[in-house]
Amino acid sequence: REHTLNPTGLPAYSSKMRARVRRILQDAGMDEGYGQVWGLGSSELLYGLLAESNMRVMAFDANERDVEAARRILADSDLYGRRASVYPGAPTALDLPPYLAELIVVVDPDAAGMDKEIEFVERLFNGLRPYGGAVYLQLTAAEHSRFEEWTRQARLENALIYRLGEDLTVLKREGALPGSGQWTHEHATSANTVKSKDDLVKAPLGVL
């Protein structure tokens, strides 16, 4: 059977959640790619991301019952394994690959491990792709101030943090990864050096 990217049969979600998801997607400037949802909550945000975009989304939650319920709904909607997957466990306790996500949305910061403070920020940032990967968290003004301080203390290069509206905190990874080189011509440079100045990736190479 031929599949399309447009989901059918997903549970209804509130107009408030629809507006939130659209605001996030518009600010992030993306409609495709890989996204992550940290904590399911009511799963509304997960369903909203799938319905309002063409992203492929991975969700993580420590409550195995909620994970199983979301899996059943996504399977019934013919999305599980194609555009969505749900994993048991707190995301901060899982060995997730770096640089994978265009978008990470933290539904429940406390359940996702915000008490780990600087480590929490580092794990979020580590999962973002370069050139604009973004994290969105629903935080109060006081929580935002603490999160901003942890980000400063973590000394994350190319990190940008700001408020979106009155309740969302955004953390973005701007530009290239520190230490990466540029291959600007057919033979690396205009001088035909055939040599990369990349300090980040070196032999021996392996699968990330």
Side-chain angles (χ1 to χ4, degrees):
R1 181 157 56 110
E2 183 179 356
H3 294 296
T4 68
L5 287 174
N6 298 319
T8 58
L10 284 171
Y13 52 96
S14 66
S15 57
K16 182 179 180 180
M17 182 58 68
R18 179 178 292 106
R20 176 180 294 276
V21 169
R22 289 179 177 177
R23 183 160 54 120
I24 288 173
L25 291 171
Q26 181 178 14
D27 183 74
M30 60 188 64
D31 180 66
E32 298 181 333
Y34 288 93
Q36 295 179 3
V37 173
W38 286 27
L40 288 170
S42 65
S43 295
E44 269 194 314
L45 192 136
L46 171 61
Y47 304 144
L49 277 180
L50 291 168
E52 301 293 335
S53 76
N54 289 323
M55 299 195 77
R56 287 161 171 80
V57 184
M58 296 168 286
F60 308 91
D61 196 285
N63 188 312
E64 293 190 10
R65 186 174 299 176
D66 290 344
V67 168
E68 182 60 30
R71 282 175 170 173
R72 285 197 301 270
I73 289 172
L74 293 169
D76 291 342
S77 302
D78 200 24
L79 290 173
Y80 197 78
R82 287 197 307 115
R83 285 189 53 212
S85 53
V86 188
Y87 302 91
T92 50
L94 300 174
D95 188 19
L96 302 177
Y99 318 133
L100 175 62
E102 274 84 2
L103 177 68
I104 299 175
V105 183
V106 182
V107 174
D108 186 340
D110 291 330
M114 190 168 169
D115 61 321
K116 297 184 183 297
E117 301 183 356
I118 296 176
E119 180 185 346
F120 177 66
V121 175
E122 290 174 336
R123 279 184 171 268
L124 282 169
F125 194 72
N126 190 49
L128 294 176
R129 68 164 177 84
Y131 296 104
V135 176
Y136 293 81
L137 313 90
Q138 184 173 344
L139 300 178
T140 65
E143 289 171 336
H144 170 83
S145 296
R146 293 200 299 271
F147 188 85
E148 190 173 31
E149 175 62 19
W150 300 335
T151 303
R152 186 189 65 79
Q153 292 177 18
R155 301 182 183 274
L156 304 174
E157 293 193 60
N158 296 342
L160 172 67
I161 185 169
Y162 59 91
R163 288 290 266 177
L164 179 64
E166 298 180 355
D167 59 347
L168 285 175
T169 290
V170 186
L171 174 64
K172 283 190 176 182
R173 185 196 288 271
E174 295 195 306
L177 295 174
S180 60
Q182 292 191 20
W183 196 282
T184 59
H185 292 69
E186 182 179 2
H187 297 292
T189 68
S190 58
N192 294 324
T193 60
V194 199
K195 179 180 180 297
S196 170
K197 293 185 178 181
D198 195 311
D199 293 322
L200 181 63
V201 178
K202 294 182 179 295
L205 304 179
V207 177
L208 182 62

